Amino acid sequence: MAIGSKGLAPADLDGMDNDRLAQELEKAKAELFNLRFSAATGQLEDHGRLKAVRRDIARIYTIVRERELGIRTAPSTEK
């Protein structure tokens, strides 16, 4: 079983355009900051969530980099 958030599997990320990926990245970074803050103050209950969010961020960065290198292609915006 993969560790991470629902909706952020590589197949799901592949279907998102670059702007949506940037939004998801910012959201994940904000969540990671809040989790780290909670951990530092001793209020964090789900320590596994830290690992899951870090992996989500890494997945997003991987998809973005693969698109830059031409390994993956962004979804077409044609209707």
Side-chain angles (χ1 to χ4, degrees), residues 16-30:
M16 295 181 188
D17 61 344
N18 292 337
D19 293 332
R20 175 71 197 263
L21 281 175
Q23 290 174 355
E24 290 294 328
L25 181 62
E26 288 301 316
K27 196 164 66 170
K29 283 185 172 185

Side-chain angles (χ1 to χ4, degrees), residues 3-77:
I3 295 176
S5 302
K6 290 187 177 185
L8 290 182
D12 298 330
L13 292 173
D14 221 9
M16 295 181 188
D17 61 344
N18 292 337
D19 293 332
R20 175 71 197 263
L21 281 175
Q23 290 174 355
E24 290 294 328
L25 181 62
E26 288 301 316
K27 196 164 66 170
K29 283 185 172 185
E31 182 179 359
L32 182 61
F33 175 79
N34 291 331
L35 288 170
R36 284 182 178 159
F37 192 86
S38 296
T41 59
Q43 298 175 350
L44 185 63
E45 295 178 10
D46 186 12
H47 295 280
R49 188 71 187 137
L50 279 167
K51 185 176 185 179
V53 173
R54 281 197 313 262
R55 286 189 178 193
D56 290 340
I57 291 170
R59 262 189 213 106
I60 293 170
Y61 276 133
T62 300
I63 298 292
V64 169
R65 183 64 179 150
E66 287 177 349
R67 286 182 182 175
E68 288 175 2
L69 296 175
I71 299 170
R72 289 185 192 252
T73 58
S76 62
T77 57

